[in-house]
Amino acid sequence: MILPIYLYGHPILRKGTKDISPDYPHLKELLANMFETMYKAEGVGFAAPQVGLSDRIVVVDLSSLAKDYPECEGFKRVFINARILEKSDETTVLEEGCLSVPDIHEKISRSNWVRLQYLDEHLQPHEDVFEGYPARCIQHEYDHLEGIVFTDHASGLRKQMISSKLNRIRDGRVNCSYKVKK
Ligand SMILES: [Zn+2]
């Protein structure tokens, strides 16, 4: 089922999230819906606040980027109750976008690698180091869990330049090819 995507300006994106418990209802169905909604909107990463839930759930599928970033080949994951334990001081700047912030792309600095503790879709615990594009995507989605949106990281000057566009999204004056919640 396709879910509406909550847009920039909706308070749910600023609220932060809570860990889910093992008896979380309909988890399998929610994950399937999140993947379906993300694919339909042509996204590669998606966090629960973007469908209006303050839960620590992220889905990622970077397969479509494998041509440009070989480390993305077959990279389809679910991250539940994730915590970044450590991240590199070395950073890389690359352009990012977000399904909740349509038509805005900004160059964002992210750590080259992260060490992440999380549960998978079967609620099995893992601790892994992710590098390259997966590390960037995880940091972007992790921000959503913390109530942060990628444009928050833009420089003061860039923020000024995109402020009218952000205001338009906040005011619901935006056209999207996918179903949204304004
Ligand atoms: Zn996003």
Side-chain angles (χ1 to χ4, degrees):
M1 188 173 73
I2 306 283
L3 307 169
I5 298 178
Y6 285 60
L7 291 189
Y8 183 90
H10 196 288
I12 196 87
L13 294 175
R14 296 302 190 183
K15 198 176 161 201
T17 51
K18 288 203 291 279
D19 281 348
I20 69 162
S21 59
D23 59 352
Y24 187 87
H26 312 298
L27 178 62
K28 204 175 159 190
E29 193 184 339
L30 172 64
L31 294 174
N33 290 342
M34 284 179 69
F35 273 115
E36 190 183 348
T37 303
M38 179 182 82
Y39 290 140
K40 175 82 175 168
E42 297 182 0
V44 296
F46 204 40
Q50 295 181 277
V51 290
L53 298 170
S54 297
D55 298 320
R56 251 181 136 72
I57 303 172
V58 164
V59 301
V60 170
D61 189 345
L62 302 175
S63 315
S64 63
L65 304 175
K67 199 161 70 80
D68 294 322
Y69 304 95
E71 70 271 27
C72 292
E73 182 73 51
F75 194 95
K76 180 180 177 182
R77 302 290 187 93
V78 170
F79 300 109
I80 291 171
N81 297 350
R83 291 283 182 286
I84 290 178
L85 302 177
E86 196 185 352
K87 58 185 179 178
S88 67
D89 293 333
E90 311 81 57
T91 56
T92 303
V93 174
L94 211 60
E95 201 171 77
E96 290 184 16
C98 179
L99 295 178
S100 293
V101 194
D103 294 332
I104 292 184
H105 294 87
E106 286 297 311
K107 290 196 168 100
I108 304 293
S109 170
R110 301 281 189 191
S111 290
N112 292 355
W113 59 261
V114 293
R115 181 187 302 281
L116 191 74
Q117 186 183 66
Y118 62 98
L119 308 177
D120 63 21
E121 60 271 43
H122 308 295
L123 300 179
Q124 293 304 302
H126 298 267
E127 189 181 311
D128 293 317
V129 172
F130 297 98
E131 299 177 76
Y133 207 96
R136 167 171 300 272
C137 183
I138 286 166
Q139 289 169 83
H140 177 119
E141 302 313 327
Y142 194 86
D143 275 351
H144 280 301
L145 302 179
E146 305 289 315
I148 298 167
V149 177
F150 82 106
T151 47
D152 298 352
H153 295 297
S155 69
L157 181 65
R158 288 300 310 166
K159 270 196 195 117
Q160 268 184 339
M161 292 177 75
I162 60 175
S163 66
S164 61
K165 265 183 155 181
L166 287 173
N167 288 339
R168 274 205 298 279
I169 301 172
R170 181 185 284 133
D171 298 342
R173 290 181 286 131
V174 65
N175 287 317
C176 277
S177 58
Y178 43 90
K179 194 160 82 171
V180 298
K181 171 93 177 168
K182 292 170 180 175

